[in-house]
Amino acid sequence: MTQEFPGAVKWLDDRVGIGKLGRKNLRKVFPDHWSFMLGEIALYSFVILILTGVFLSFWFKPSMAEVEYQGSYSLLKGLHLSEAYASTLDISFDIRGGLLMRQMHHWAAILFTAAMSIHLLRVFFTGAFRKPRELNWIIGIVMLFLGIVEGFIGYGLPDDLLSGTGLRITQGLVLAAPVVGTYLSFFIFGGEFPGDDFVSRFYTVHVLLIPGILLTLITAHLFLVVYHKHTQYPGAGRTEKNVVGYPLMPVYMAKAGGFFFVVFGITALMGALLQINPLWLYGPYNPAEVTAGSQPDWYMGWLDGAVRLMPGLESQFWGITISWNIFLPALVVPPLFIGFVVMYPFLESWITDDKREHHILDRPRNVPTRTGIGAAIVTFYGILWLNSGNDLIATHFHLSINTITWVLRFAVFLGPLLAFWVTRRIAISLQRSDIERLLHGYESGVIVRSPDGGYSEKHVPISKYDAYSLTARVRDTVLEIPTLTDEHGVARPHRRRARLRAALSRFFFADAVQKPASAERGSSDHHHEVATGGRDDNRA
């Protein structure tokens, strides 16, 4: 029996017709796993950014006009500052709750970027980017990139000495672009750096353009999650055609609401107790000055580290100077790095010839090469990020900055290779351990004696639920290297590409341990019968 809506809701439903759609989607089932909360943290951080950003927009003045500061912070009183910097000081010291809102905004921005990064790593290592979710993978990468740009632009709005130093570095990166660099710099800053327009321009992009794009992408992302149904980890009763979990209403709605307030509360606590970006200590921006020990927010560190890592190389062609030490690390490496990450789902699908839909996630150990590639990417990023603080590492640990730089120059090439090899070997070892546990059970600690006088330890078979989880995957198929000609002696079309694909397939599945066949499982049953003196009905 269908429950009638209240009068006002029924009146609205008769005119909009959302009742039927709502009943269907509010009962949609979502799986329950802690790692799925990572995406929710990013979503809730974005909501906090919107709320705190609206509060800050009431008092922030996006203007480079010069004013004399007469606020509460006595050390800067009487100095001539931009209206942007003066209004930020007013928010921090003279607006009730202003400093809390500003620090919550900054912490939420860092949390937003961090949650998206870890969420994308979870998606990568579990293979959640495979068909039909390649588009959602691209949307996620674009959202992360826009989040980084949004954070950097917001970091530059107060017009303090630290943010101005970061903008000066950015202007240098823009100028490194051959031919068009000067024009781009004039367009961004409205003339010679720093110009009089960049705060107002950045403000429009920061509060209107990028948030609007992000909101659109988040909506599309959530729509695709609902449309494709949620991925789930392998387990009893879970197949490619169902979802085991809890309905959106009321279970997941209640959990999501509670989790939002947890994220909001922790962000508020961080904003209240953990100081971040005390810009009153830096003073107003002056192009002739640089803050000692200047460091960007963590999500921009890898780009800064790449620039610091590159040797000083320049070339001149027809009167044009190309600064390779800026051009390569800032304008070539990032697009190649991000482009590889964006295209990876399509590369893996082509190499493995896997065109199936996937709704069950991989255990990272069961795809050793992909897991190794992910570890190599993280290592490459981490070394660049570490080098962004090479000056602070040198001063804090009394080391030579030149030594640190040269060590990291070698590490940025050797580190990812070593991480790939070690991670893949560990994953393969874990696969072998799983197969051993599946075929022979686990050690019980009970020693038995055979009729011929030998001693062995009694093994107990694992539960059928654990066995199902360990075998919920297909056996890998390695592509055969085709011959250059067919059976009639005619050259095969695209033969070079096919041979390359087969070679990459062999590399991708190299040394991976396949799940046991039925015959092997049968022999393991016999092993348990002998070890226990009878047949175990709890076998998988």
Side-chain angles (χ1 to χ4, degrees):
M1 182 177 179
T2 303
Q3 184 178 359
E4 282 291 332
F5 290 123
V9 178
K10 186 177 185 305
W11 181 90
L12 181 64
D13 182 53
D14 290 340
R15 287 151 181 80
V16 182
I18 61 174
K20 183 178 179 181
L21 182 64
R23 286 192 186 94
K24 177 182 178 182
N25 287 284
L26 288 177
R27 298 301 297 172
K28 192 172 184 66
V29 173
F30 285 87
D32 192 28
H33 193 273
W34 67 267
S35 66
F36 298 144
M37 295 295 181
L38 296 170
E40 293 187 41
I41 294 175
L43 176 62
Y44 302 151
S45 301
F46 182 75
V47 174
I48 296 170
L49 283 169
I50 297 296
L51 296 176
T52 54
V54 169
F55 178 92
L56 296 174
S57 67
F58 291 149
W59 288 279
F60 180 74
K61 298 178 181 178
S63 170
M64 292 288 289
E66 190 175 279
V67 296
E68 183 178 341
Y69 179 67
Q70 295 297 332
S72 300
Y73 190 65
S74 59
L75 295 180
L76 295 177
K77 187 170 290 187
L79 292 182
H80 290 271
L81 320 170
S82 67
E83 280 193 306
Y85 188 51
S87 63
T88 307
L89 292 174
D90 290 339
I91 291 172
S92 301
F93 294 107
D94 299 311
I95 304 300
R96 189 181 298 274
L99 181 59
L100 174 64
M101 289 294 109
R102 194 175 69 80
Q103 296 204 148
M104 282 183 64
H105 192 73
H106 202 133
W107 279 119
I110 290 177
L111 190 61
F112 177 60
T113 310
M116 280 198 297
S117 301
I118 301 174
H119 176 63
L120 284 169
L121 285 177
R122 196 276 301 172
V123 169
F124 180 87
F125 283 112
T126 60
F129 54 77
R130 294 171 295 173
K131 182 182 178 181
R133 296 176 179 84
E134 301 95 336
L135 182 58
N136 239 355
W137 171 258
I138 296 174
I139 290 175
I141 298 295
V142 173
M143 284 196 294
L144 177 60
F145 176 76
L146 288 176
I148 292 173
V149 174
E150 174 79 342
F152 178 74
I153 290 177
Y155 157 89
L157 285 178
D159 194 35
D160 62 283
L161 185 56
L162 182 61
S163 67
T165 301
L167 290 174
R168 184 60 162 174
I169 295 172
T170 303
Q171 192 236 3
L173 303 183
V174 172
L175 288 175
V179 183
V180 299
T182 305
Y183 300 99
L184 287 175
S185 176
F186 268 65
F187 173 76
I188 293 172
F189 295 100
E192 289 286 350
F193 181 87
D196 297 325
D197 300 326
F198 85 87
V199 169
S200 58
R201 294 185 179 190
F202 280 23
Y203 183 75
T204 302
V205 174
H206 182 73
V207 305
L208 183 63
L209 181 60
I210 295 182
I213 298 174
L214 280 173
L215 191 59
T216 303
L217 292 176
I218 289 172
T219 303
H221 176 77
L222 295 177
F223 172 79
L224 289 175
V225 168
V226 173
Y227 177 73
H228 291 143
K229 77 181 182 182
H230 209 293
T231 55
Q232 56 187 342
Y233 287 92
R238 300 171 185 176
T239 69
E240 297 284 4
K241 300 183 181 299
N242 71 352
V243 177
V244 178
Y246 299 99
L248 177 63
M249 185 70 181
V251 178
Y252 234 82
M253 292 289 284
K255 293 179 66 174
F259 194 50
F260 168 75
F261 286 109
V262 169
V263 175
F264 189 92
I266 291 176
T267 306
L269 196 64
M270 293 170 66
L273 301 179
L274 304 178
Q275 179 176 272
I276 188 170
N277 195 23
L279 47 80
W280 52 88
L281 299 179
Y282 310 137
Y285 179 60
N286 184 339
E289 300 173 353
V290 174
T291 303
S294 299
Q295 301 293 317
D297 278 334
W298 71 269
Y299 46 81
M300 294 297 298
W302 72 285
L303 183 59
D304 187 40
V307 174
R308 297 187 187 199
L309 208 62
M310 186 70 184
L313 299 174
E314 290 184 353
S315 301
Q316 289 191 351
F317 300 97
W318 302 289
I320 298 175
T321 300
I322 298 180
S323 300
W324 299 108
N325 55 321
I326 304 295
F327 176 73
L328 287 178
L331 302 179
V332 174
V333 172
L336 291 178
F337 179 67
I338 296 173
F340 172 77
V341 174
V342 168
M343 294 303 298
Y344 182 83
F346 306 98
L347 292 173
E348 181 177 305
S349 175
W350 180 74
I351 291 172
T352 61
D353 195 29
D354 186 359
K355 308 302 180 185
R356 297 163 298 149
E357 287 196 2
H358 294 274
H359 304 290
I360 297 293
L361 298 173
D362 286 327
R363 301 176 74 205
R365 66 184 63 181
N366 289 334
V367 194
T369 300
R370 181 204 296 154
T371 304
I373 291 172
I377 291 173
V378 172
T379 303
F380 176 76
Y381 176 91
I383 291 173
L384 295 183
W385 180 81
L386 185 66
N387 193 60
S388 68
N390 58 1
D391 53 339
L392 296 182
I393 295 174
T395 56
H396 280 69
F397 296 97
H398 308 290
L399 300 173
S400 167
I401 191 172
N402 292 325
T403 301
I404 295 171
T405 302
W406 274 105
V407 168
L408 293 179
R409 281 174 180 170
F410 284 99
V412 78
F413 293 103
L414 300 179
L417 296 176
L418 181 62
F420 171 80
W421 182 80
V422 170
T423 303
R424 187 165 70 164
R425 297 313 306 174
I426 291 175
I428 292 172
S429 298
L430 291 173
Q431 279 187 308
R432 290 172 178 160
S433 175
D434 286 344
I435 297 301
E436 177 71 18
R437 188 156 58 97
L438 180 66
L439 294 180
H440 304 293
Y442 60 88
E443 299 171 349
S444 65
V446 178
I447 305 300
V448 296
R449 184 178 181 181
S450 64
D452 58 1
Y455 291 91
S456 61
E457 185 172 13
K458 179 180 177 181
H459 284 67
V460 179
I462 63 176
S463 71
K464 59 183 178 181
Y465 302 106
D466 291 339
Y468 184 91
S469 299
L470 292 177
T471 56
R473 61 188 178 103
V474 298
R475 296 173 66 88
D476 301 323
T477 302
V478 181
L479 300 180
E480 295 293 334
I481 298 180
T483 58
L484 296 178
T485 58
D486 59 18
E487 62 275 12
H488 303 293
V490 179
R492 296 182 182 274
H494 311 298
R495 55 189 180 277
R496 298 186 186 277
R497 185 173 64 182
R499 292 176 69 86
L500 173 63
R501 182 185 187 185
L504 290 174
S505 174
R506 295 176 68 86
F507 167 77
F508 193 86
F509 296 120
D511 302 324
V513 180
Q514 306 302 321
K515 70 176 184 179
S518 300
E520 296 175 277
R521 297 291 306 281
S523 64
S524 71
D525 290 340
H526 176 70
H527 168 79
H528 293 311
E529 289 180 39
V530 173
T532 61
R535 188 167 184 83
D536 187 80
D537 291 329
N538 195 37
R539 65 184 180 85

